[in-house]
Amino acid sequence: MVVTNAPGLPSPSLARENISLEGGVSSLDGLIRRASRRWRHKRAWQIELSGDELSFEEIDNRSFALGEAIMARTGAVPGDTIAVMSLNTLDFPLTWLALTRRGMTMIPLNP
């Protein structure tokens, strides 16, 4: 997987509508954390061809850690646009979640 901060691309507005979803959760991050608490070890994602799967807790933990690593290695900050080249594996949606949870926008590139 290749992740790069994409300078020169427009950054999205950081303004967010305060939309309250079921149970008072108002962000994707909040939904992920709540799902992790409610359905900790239940399977959330499965890639049929490879047999890979992740639980709700694994999605929460891995996307959080990946977001931290991307920010530390690239210097990316909320509002940045990040270009990502990845195969169709569990890394792709995890990377999207990692970036989105931190207020960044992902531009997917096909290898």
Side-chain angles (χ1 to χ4, degrees):
M1 172 178 8
V2 177
V3 177
T4 180
N5 197 342
L9 293 175
S11 292
S13 168
L14 290 178
R16 305 227 188 272
E17 292 181 44
N18 190 11
I19 300 172
S20 182
L21 303 172
E22 175 190 343
V25 177
S26 61
S27 69
L28 178 61
D29 184 60
L31 287 171
I32 292 168
R33 286 184 285 127
R34 185 174 72 183
S36 177
R37 286 190 308 271
R38 282 187 178 179
W39 305 297
R40 185 172 304 263
H41 300 294
K42 287 190 177 186
R43 180 177 60 210
W45 293 347
Q46 180 177 4
I47 305 291
E48 287 185 29
L49 294 175
S50 67
D52 293 334
E53 59 184 48
L54 290 176
S55 70
F56 286 95
E57 182 178 52
E58 289 171 317
I59 290 169
D60 182 22
N61 293 338
R62 288 177 63 176
S63 66
F64 183 84
L66 180 59
E68 292 292 308
I70 290 170
M71 290 177 74
R73 291 181 184 166
T74 67
V77 296
D80 281 353
T81 300
I82 309 293
V84 176
M85 185 178 296
S86 175
L87 298 174
N88 293 332
T89 64
L90 287 174
D91 290 338
F92 182 83
L94 279 173
T95 303
W96 177 79
L97 282 174
L99 296 173
T100 302
R101 289 176 80 174
R102 280 154 190 79
M104 293 178 261
T105 300
M106 182 175 112
I107 298 179
L109 305 172
N110 250 345

